[in-house]
């Protein structure tokens, strides 16, 4: 249901190299009337407590960055399901990312370095005092389109893909439900200790007797799966006041018997409405390019760090480091004008790539 893409497609391969001698220059960009437009909306500006070395006082700017991705641009071709996303009035696919920017109040004291820290499951990454004392500008912005909106979280709004005729896309989805205590309460999807901060894919049908809906359990990973009959579980919310079969619900699972913490439960079902998650890669590319190079957005709203950024670097830890490796590998470290996005990427504790795309 979620397709992982790899290889060197999209100009990836892990590095951005200068064109070989004799290579023709990048293709001309589309006319301004059809070029992607970007909108900066600042919701709050507040002082950061304390001062930081020669850079002095900092301020924290919170807001949203709305961008467009041209599905006809070959640099975006690797984004899974982009061709199935709805288009806005400008003929582009739109996204909106929350961001937090930390910068010296006196930008003449900025060092010229913008450091992007990828947020883990939407959690804001604060400025680093050591580098703040050296005048760094810090940006943390959403890249995950499945983080639920909540206080203190950075979210990315991306569209849902549809079939060419506008109908709902469905596909097989697998989730593990891991109870920590014996309970008759329902368990929410997608399940697992690391998935609580993501939005679940809703079931295409509440009728779990249809083909493609299977709930099993086993004690050890390598054990044979024990089938739980469809009559003994439902897509529903259950609790003390609403015992099995509970109240029908697309993203919760209710069990007739108690959930047993000695077992791992595996649910395979037909899910619906895949999000165009790969837009998170393009959103980061476009946002860094904007703060690095643009004076203002399409409406004339000034870039708060315009002309002050000379170099850009990125940092990601664990799954965020995996995201940064994916960003480079799939070719997103090249912007629409063929210029490098990040001068350096520090991917920490990151042994793999993500399946975001």
């Amino acid at each position: 249901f979620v397709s992982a893409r790899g290889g060197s497609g999209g100009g990836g391969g892990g590095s951005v190299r200068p064109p070989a001698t004799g290579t023709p220059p990048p293709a001309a960009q589309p006319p301004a009337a059809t070029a992607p437009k970007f909108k900066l909306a600042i919701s709050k500006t507040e002082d950061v407590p304390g001062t930081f070395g020669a850079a002095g006082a900092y301020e924290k700017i919170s807001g949203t960055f709305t961008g467009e991705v041209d599905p006809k641009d070959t640099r975006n071709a690797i984004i899974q399901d982009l061709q199935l996303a709805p288009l806005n009035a400008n003929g582009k696919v739109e996204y909106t990312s929350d961001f937090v920017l930390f910068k010296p109040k006196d930008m003449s004291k900025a060092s010229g370095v913008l450091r992007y820290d990828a947020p883990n499951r939407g959690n804001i990454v604060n400025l680093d005092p050591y580098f703040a004392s050296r005048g760094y500008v810090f940006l943390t912005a959403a890249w995950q389109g499945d983080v639920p909106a909540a206080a203190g979280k950075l979210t990315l709004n991306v569209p849902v893909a549809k079939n060419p005729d506008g109908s709902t896309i469905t596909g097989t989805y697998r989730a593990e439900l891991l109870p920590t205590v014996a309970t008759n309460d329902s368990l929410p999807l997608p399940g697992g200790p690391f998935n609580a901060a993501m939005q679940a894919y809703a079931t295409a049908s509440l009728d779990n007797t249809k083909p493609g809906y299977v709930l099993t359990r086993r004690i050890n990973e390598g054990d044979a799966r024990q089938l739980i009959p469809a009559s003994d579980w439902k897509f529903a919310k259950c609790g003390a006041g609403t015992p099995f079969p509970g109240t029908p619900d697309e993203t919760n699972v209710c069990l007739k018997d108690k959930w047993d913490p000695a077992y791992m439960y595996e649910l395979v079902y037909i899910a619906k409405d895949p999000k165009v998650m790969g837009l998170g890669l393009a959103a980061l590319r476009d946002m860094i390019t904007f703060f690095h190079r643009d004076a203002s957005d399409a409406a004339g709203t000034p870039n708060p760090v315009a002309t002050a950024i000379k170099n850009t670097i990125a940092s990601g830890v664990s799954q965020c480091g995996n995201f940064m490796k994916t960003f480079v590998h799939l070719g997103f470290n090249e912007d629409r004008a063929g210029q490098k996005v990040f001068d350096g990427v520090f991917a920490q504790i990151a042994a793999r790539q993500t399946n975001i795309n």
Side-chain angles (χ1 to χ4, degrees), residues 147-226:
V147 173
K153 295 282 188 178
L154 299 175
T155 58
L156 174 68
N157 185 23
V158 297
V160 168
K162 298 289 185 181
N163 285 312
D165 64 359
S167 60
T168 298
I169 293 175
T170 62
T172 301
Y173 192 84
R174 172 186 173 276
E176 286 185 344
L177 300 170
L178 307 175
T180 57
V181 296
T183 180
N184 283 119
D185 291 349
S186 53
L187 295 183
L189 295 171
F194 300 107
N195 293 332
M198 64 181 282
Q199 292 171 315
Y201 281 107
T203 179
S205 173
L206 293 171
D207 184 359
N208 65 337
T209 65
K210 290 185 174 182
Y213 293 77
V214 179
L215 180 65
T216 60
R217 71 176 192 173
R218 64 196 192 280
I219 294 178
N220 299 306
E221 184 74 27
D223 292 349
R225 291 166 170 80
Q226 304 170 16

Side-chain angles (χ1 to χ4, degrees), residues 131 161 174 195 240 281 288 307 322 331 342 349:
F131 290 101
R174 172 186 173 276
N195 293 332
L281 298 156
I288 296 299
T307 73
N322 298 327
F342 288 113
I349 322 175

